[in-house]
Amino acid sequence: MESIVAKFYLQKGNFVLDLEFNAPKQGVIAIFGPSGSGKTTLIRCIAGLERTPIGFLSINEQCWQDENRHFFLPTHQRSLGYVFQEANLFPHLTVEKNLHYGWRRTPARKITPDEVAELLGVTPLLKRYPIHLSGGERQRVAIARALLISPKLLLMDEPLAALDNQSKIEILPYLEKLHTEFSIPILYITHSLTEVMRLADHILVIDRGKLVANDSLSMILTRLDLPFTKTEEAGVVIEAKIIEHDKDFHLTYLTFADEKITVHKINSPIGQSVRVSIKARDVSLALVNETSSILNIFQAMITQLVEEEQAVVMVQLSVKGYPLLARITRKSVNLLNLTVGMVVYARVKSIALL
Amino acid sequence: MFDIVIDWTPVWLTLQLATTTTIILLIIGTPLAWWLARTQCWCKSMIEAVISLPLVLPPTVLGFYLLVILSPQNWVGQLWLSITGTRLVFTFTGLVIGSVLFSLPFVVQPLQNAFSSVSQRILEAAATLGATPLDRFFTIAIPLARPGFLTAITLSFAHTVGEFGVVLMIGGSIPGKTQVLSIAIYEHVEKLEFEQAHILAGGMLLFSFLTLILLYSTNKYSLKKL
């Protein structure tokens, strides 16, 4: 099942990239880390734009690099789409010809330029030159161009970093569409927690050229030894399905792990999956389940307690195997006598749709 | 003025020489400029210096050395003679060789600058889209270096048309064979045939001016499009 197998060692001046990982072949794998941590170098190695003296890479059991046998497949023979931070469109070609560039060179095409142009909303731009496009439009064309080679792997190097907020908001839904409509694994570099929470299924955390963590989104976000739980925004992301709309109260009911979640009305059809986030600061704990103004209450087991500051404790909980975080005071921990293994009621004050 | 007989042969010879020289220079200069734009070889500065020599040397110096090297007394001229049965000095072929060397910097420098400005990232993007190195060169690097090519072609053509010293040294002034326009003008003046000299010189002035207008306007246009 794990079908991206990678191992790289590269020294460039003071910087050393030295990591090894296996990752699932589906969904969005976020590569997360501070600037200068080696994220871009890592995906350049995966793309074959850099050759490491020690290295191994195989995608779906197809070997792309094996330095033990001195084997290195050059970039143009790798079935990969690469979306750069700047779109890097060909300035001398129209949008249409940019889209055709990779497509014409692909022997096993699965999609047509028309389909992809429609999907990414670039059909009205086909006759234009890149210089006449906005930043967001350019990036959409770049994504479309990369998809057209029907890649086995899509690499995206902070595709939103160079864009203003408006363009980011405009392009995120298209990225989510990629996630749901294509079964191409996507390696997505970012240092934005928002993008991670909206898009990622799996995360590789990198720091100073080394792999710090490699796990699913929910596990990474709730691991108390990683920086995510230390921020003000710490929380979990839950993928839930819409089961019912309540017109009278203007609410929508979602389900995950046999639990029911109540949120403000969402304008999406029943059956669709949505991502919601529950912040640690919005979760309080109680020993008994009593009726209150709070609608979302889950029975949960305490799996870990970590003192963050002198006054604050981060509690890691499990709701039928799904992790949840609660940030409460140390005084409350004492009052309720909370310990690992205890079953409590997690009361969620607010749930945000991502 | 109407009874003046103008011999147009030098004009045709000049155009033929300039065209041949430009074509050969593009074939040699393009890969050379591409290599210079990408290489980090220690020998790069030395090669650049050699290519630029014609810019600083008096044409007669270059012409003198070529005359020596290409003459049948030297092994280069000897070799040519034994293969083709013809001499290099005082022939059209000799003129082409001289012109190619003399105009080399006018082709290599603009091309090298143009290739240097082609972004590495764009070429990498083409590689990720499945283009082989040669494919990337022809479909990305060359079109993006188009203004450089226009400059190189125009400069090489115009420079060859206007050359005098090198041509005189290795070609002499054999009518119909090596007597090009600039030399024909010189000969007319020597023989005090000022009317013929006027017509040819005026024509050349007009030609050079039109060439430069063409160069600047097309470059402006191609920059706008990008």
Side-chain angles (χ1 to χ4, degrees):
Chain A
M1 185 61 210
E2 278 177 335
S3 64
I4 300 172
V5 182
K7 175 185 164 66
F8 296 111
Y9 180 87
L10 176 76
Q11 196 164 3
K12 272 208 283 183
N14 284 332
F15 176 78
V16 179
L17 180 78
D18 181 9
L19 44 77
E20 198 175 341
F21 65 87
N22 297 335
K25 69 170 174 188
Q26 267 167 3
V28 176
I29 301 155
I31 301 175
F32 187 87
S35 357
S37 56
K39 299 177 301 243
T40 299
T41 310
L42 171 62
I43 70 162
R44 286 178 61 82
C45 290
I46 292 172
L49 295 171
E50 308 250 0
R51 184 170 183 174
T52 56
I54 301 171
F56 179 85
L57 176 66
S58 85
I59 310 290
N60 297 350
E61 270 130 48
Q62 191 189 5
C63 186
W64 282 2
Q65 184 179 7
D66 184 358
E67 292 302 334
N68 284 336
R69 309 187 272 129
H70 301 288
F71 174 75
F72 181 83
L73 199 66
T75 303
H76 64 267
Q77 288 172 13
R78 300 184 179 196
S79 174
L80 59 90
Y82 197 132
V83 179
F84 296 79
Q85 213 172 102
E86 283 80 33
N88 277 330
L89 299 179
F90 304 129
H92 60 298
L93 301 177
T94 58
V95 168
E96 187 172 29
K97 294 221 171 97
N98 263 283
L99 294 185
H100 284 178
Y101 192 90
W103 185 70
R104 280 198 293 117
R105 287 167 173 77
T106 307
R109 303 166 192 159
K110 291 185 194 128
I111 14 182
T112 67
D114 288 346
E115 285 166 16
V116 176
E118 204 53 53
L119 184 82
L120 281 148
V122 298
T123 310
L125 313 174
L126 288 177
K127 298 288 170 217
R128 289 206 221 156
Y129 280 93
I131 198 168
H132 300 300
L133 303 178
S134 72
E137 289 170 337
R138 265 179 230 179
Q139 209 51 281
R140 266 151 51 202
V141 174
I143 296 168
R145 184 176 73 169
L147 282 175
L148 275 166
I149 70 160
S150 307
K152 289 207 167 66
L153 181 65
L154 189 60
L155 305 172
M156 303 182 106
D157 187 355
E158 302 205 41
L160 304 184
L163 303 178
D164 55 70
N165 263 331
Q166 188 52 46
S167 309
K168 274 183 198 168
I169 293 166
E170 164 202 315
I171 212 165
L172 265 168
Y174 292 106
L175 293 180
E176 283 166 340
K177 231 193 248 183
L178 290 188
H179 188 216
T180 50
E181 299 203 8
F182 291 87
S183 53
I184 308 167
I186 301 174
L187 277 171
Y188 187 100
I189 290 189
T190 182
H191 59 247
S192 149
L193 195 55
T194 324
E195 285 169 35
V196 167
M197 296 210 290
R198 268 185 81 157
L199 299 169
D201 301 307
H202 195 95
I203 307 184
L204 303 174
V205 183
I206 289 176
D207 195 18
R208 273 166 264 160
K210 299 253 187 315
L211 191 70
V212 177
N214 171 8
D215 220 325
S216 67
L217 174 71
S218 52
M219 292 312 287
I220 292 268
L221 289 178
T222 52
R223 263 177 60 178
L224 300 181
D225 57 328
L226 291 176
F228 303 100
T229 50
K230 309 221 165 31
T231 63
E232 183 61 23
E233 299 296 300
V236 295
V237 170
I238 290 167
E239 189 127 12
K241 204 171 257 172
I242 298 176
I243 45 169
E244 197 187 334
H245 293 297
D246 186 336
K247 277 193 191 115
D248 292 344
F249 292 111
H250 212 73
L251 295 171
T252 294
Y253 302 117
L254 313 170
T255 174
F256 92 100
D258 292 332
E259 296 280 352
K260 193 167 165 185
I261 306 178
T262 310
V263 293
H264 287 267
K265 182 138 194 318
I266 302 171
N267 289 323
S268 294
I270 287 169
Q272 183 157 333
S273 279
V274 291
R275 280 189 176 196
V276 293
S277 108
I278 300 175
K279 303 246 183 280
R281 59 164 189 249
D282 294 331
V283 179
S284 63
L285 302 178
L287 294 180
V288 286
N289 188 8
E290 55 191 31
T291 314
S292 74
S293 66
I294 290 172
L295 292 171
N296 293 302
I297 299 174
F298 310 115
Q299 198 179 45
M301 191 175 77
I302 298 177
T303 47
Q304 216 176 337
L305 291 154
V306 171
E307 205 170 302
E308 278 194 333
E309 303 159 33
Q310 288 182 321
V312 184
V313 174
M314 184 64 97
V315 185
Q316 193 193 60
L317 304 142
S318 164
V319 181
K320 296 191 179 121
Y322 288 82
L324 194 68
L325 290 177
R327 182 177 269 147
I328 56 179
T329 60
R330 195 156 59 91
K331 188 171 181 186
S332 318
V333 174
N334 262 359
L335 274 173
L336 301 177
N337 214 357
L338 298 178
T339 51
V340 171
M342 235 172 113
V343 174
V344 292
Y345 292 91
R347 300 147 63 110
V348 182
K349 274 170 271 177
S350 101
I351 294 183
L353 187 73
L354 283 173
Chain B
M1 193 150 179
F2 289 100
D3 54 347
I4 297 164
V5 182
I6 300 270
D7 180 11
W8 293 103
T9 326
V11 176
W12 292 126
L13 197 64
T14 305
L15 293 179
Q16 226 179 327
L17 178 65
T19 312
T20 318
T21 303
T22 305
I23 291 170
I24 292 176
L25 273 176
L26 283 179
I27 295 170
I28 303 172
T30 309
L32 188 59
W34 175 253
W35 180 75
L36 283 172
R38 303 275 137 186
T39 188
Q40 273 148 15
C41 174
W42 58 272
C43 53
K44 181 181 168 182
S45 318
M46 212 171 71
I47 291 173
E48 282 175 321
V50 169
I51 291 169
S52 304
L53 270 181
L55 289 177
V56 290
L57 280 183
T60 42
V61 172
L62 186 67
F64 171 68
Y65 281 120
L66 280 172
L67 184 66
V68 173
I69 294 167
L70 300 182
S71 78
Q73 279 77 43
N74 199 288
W75 70 270
V76 179
Q78 189 74 57
L79 188 72
W80 184 267
L81 187 65
S82 64
I83 293 170
T84 63
T86 56
R87 301 192 328 163
L88 278 174
V89 285
F90 307 119
T91 60
F92 186 74
T93 317
L95 282 193
V96 171
I97 294 176
S99 306
V100 162
L101 288 174
F102 192 46
S103 295
L104 191 59
F106 293 86
V107 168
V108 172
Q109 284 185 0
L111 288 186
Q112 190 185 335
N113 288 339
F115 283 142
S116 303
S117 64
V118 173
S119 121
Q120 187 61 33
R121 294 262 181 257
I122 298 262
L123 292 166
E124 285 177 352
T128 65
L129 294 169
T132 62
L134 202 65
D135 188 359
R136 298 197 293 264
F137 178 70
F138 282 109
T139 57
I140 307 296
I142 288 194
L144 287 179
R146 207 178 75 134
F149 274 95
L150 278 173
T151 311
I153 290 169
T154 325
L155 284 182
S156 137
F157 195 87
H159 191 240
T160 307
V161 167
E163 124 196 3
F164 181 79
V166 177
V167 173
L168 191 66
M169 291 295 269
I170 53 177
S173 175
I174 305 164
K177 268 177 82 186
T178 63
Q179 194 190 58
V180 292
L181 186 60
S182 57
I183 289 171
I185 294 172
Y186 178 73
E187 301 260 307
H188 281 307
V189 175
E190 284 282 276
K191 290 187 230 157
L192 299 175
E193 296 164 349
F194 276 53
E195 289 87 352
Q196 285 93 330
H198 258 307
I199 292 170
L200 290 180
M204 199 145 154
L205 182 69
L206 191 70
F207 167 78
S208 310
F209 184 58
L210 290 177
T211 314
L212 289 177
I213 288 181
L214 183 80
L215 173 69
Y216 287 122
S217 57
T218 44
N219 258 1
K220 209 166 87 189
Y221 168 75
S222 64
L223 285 178
K224 243 187 227 156
K225 206 182 123 197
L226 296 183

